[in-house]
Each structure stands twice: as C-alpha cells, then as structure tokens.
C-alpha cells in the first residue's frame, strides 16, 4: 500500500483486539490484491441515545489505481447481528472483498460478454 491505513474510531473506546482484527483484514487484502493504494476505515459506535445499545457502523474506502474506488458504507439497519462489533467488522470486510474482486476482474479485462 502506498499510504498508511487510516483508522478512525468514533463514539467507542479504542480496543487493541479490534485494531488487530482490522489490521489482519487489511493485511489479507494487501496480500491478495496488491493494487490497493490507500485505505480508510471508520468504525462508529451505536452512540449514547439508546438505552439498550444499537448497531455498529463500519465504513471502508479502498483506493485503487486509475482513480477507481471500492466503498462500503451502508450497514443494514434491520440486522441485529451488527450489534456485535467483530461481526460488523467482518461483514463490512466481506462486502469490501466481494466488491474488490469484481473491480479487479474488470480492471484485468476478465468480464463476461454476451452475444449480440
């Protein structure tokens, strides 16, 4: 990666285990897809408005060559599994991995063409 990973944690206390989980996911992306030029991750806590807690929001932005980007920013609001922070992080990286696969296949010209 050309620039260091930007990690921003909002409305929750920073945790070494969470930071390590994110670092492991980013390392996996770097090994599998070496074309990532920048990465920004924002982890937002559920806030203090709810008495019973809420859902974590994880946003990932990956910059690729030629000005292409992979953005994962929408957390499903009806999915209660996102009240668990490790699950929310793993789910966001899973969605980013799928988008990154599609984007790299398009960049390499491996797309399915249909007959006219």
């Amino acid at each position: 990666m050309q620039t260091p990973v930007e990690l921003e944690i909002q409305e929750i206390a920073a945790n070494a285990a969470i930071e390590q989980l994110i670092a492991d996911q980013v390392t996996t992306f770097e090994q599998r897809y070496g074309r990532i030029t920048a990465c920004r991750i924002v982890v937002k806590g559920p806030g203090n408005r709810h008495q019973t807690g809420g859902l974590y929001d994880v946003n990932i932005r990956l910059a690729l060559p030629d000005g292409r980007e992979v953005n994962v920013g929408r957390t499903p609001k009806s999915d209660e599994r996102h009240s668990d922070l490790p699950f929310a992080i793993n789910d966001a990286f899973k969605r980013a991995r799928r988008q990154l696969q599609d984007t790299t296949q398009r960049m390499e010209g491996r797309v399915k063409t249909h007959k006219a």
Side-chain angles (χ1 to χ4, degrees), residues 48-92:
N48 297 327
R49 296 184 309 268
H50 303 283
Q51 293 179 353
T52 59
L55 305 178
Y56 290 96
D57 191 23
V58 180
N59 300 318
I60 301 172
R61 181 189 159 273
L62 302 172
L64 302 172
D66 300 330
R68 297 178 188 237
E69 289 186 354
V70 171
N71 290 311
V72 174
R74 185 185 62 81
T75 299
K77 297 299 179 194
S78 62
D79 193 353
E80 289 297 320
R81 296 178 295 175
H82 285 269
S83 62
D84 180 36
L85 183 55
F87 177 84
I89 291 170
N90 287 331
D91 185 56

Side-chain angles (χ1 to χ4, degrees), residues 4 11 15 21 24 32 55 63 66 76 109:
E11 298 182 12
N15 184 347
L21 176 64
D24 291 343
R32 188 171 291 169
L55 305 178
D66 300 330

Side-chain angles (χ1 to χ4, degrees), residues 3 14 25 28 30 36 51 55 58-59 66-67 69 71 77 79 92 94 104 108-109 111 113:
T3 61
Q25 294 280 2
T28 302
E30 286 180 329
I36 300 172
Q51 293 179 353
L55 305 178
V58 180
N59 300 318
D66 300 330
E69 289 186 354
N71 290 311
K77 297 299 179 194
D79 193 353
K94 181 175 71 172
T104 54
E108 294 171 353
V111 292
T113 56

Side-chain angles (χ1 to χ4, degrees), residues 1-6 25-27 29-31 33-41 61-63:
M1 196 169 309
Q2 295 176 356
T3 61
V5 176
E6 295 179 38
Q25 294 280 2
V26 171
T27 302
F29 276 7
E30 286 180 329
Q31 292 172 351
Y33 312 99
R35 304 180 83 181
I36 300 172
T37 57
C39 177
R40 178 173 169 77
I41 303 165
R61 181 189 159 273
L62 302 172

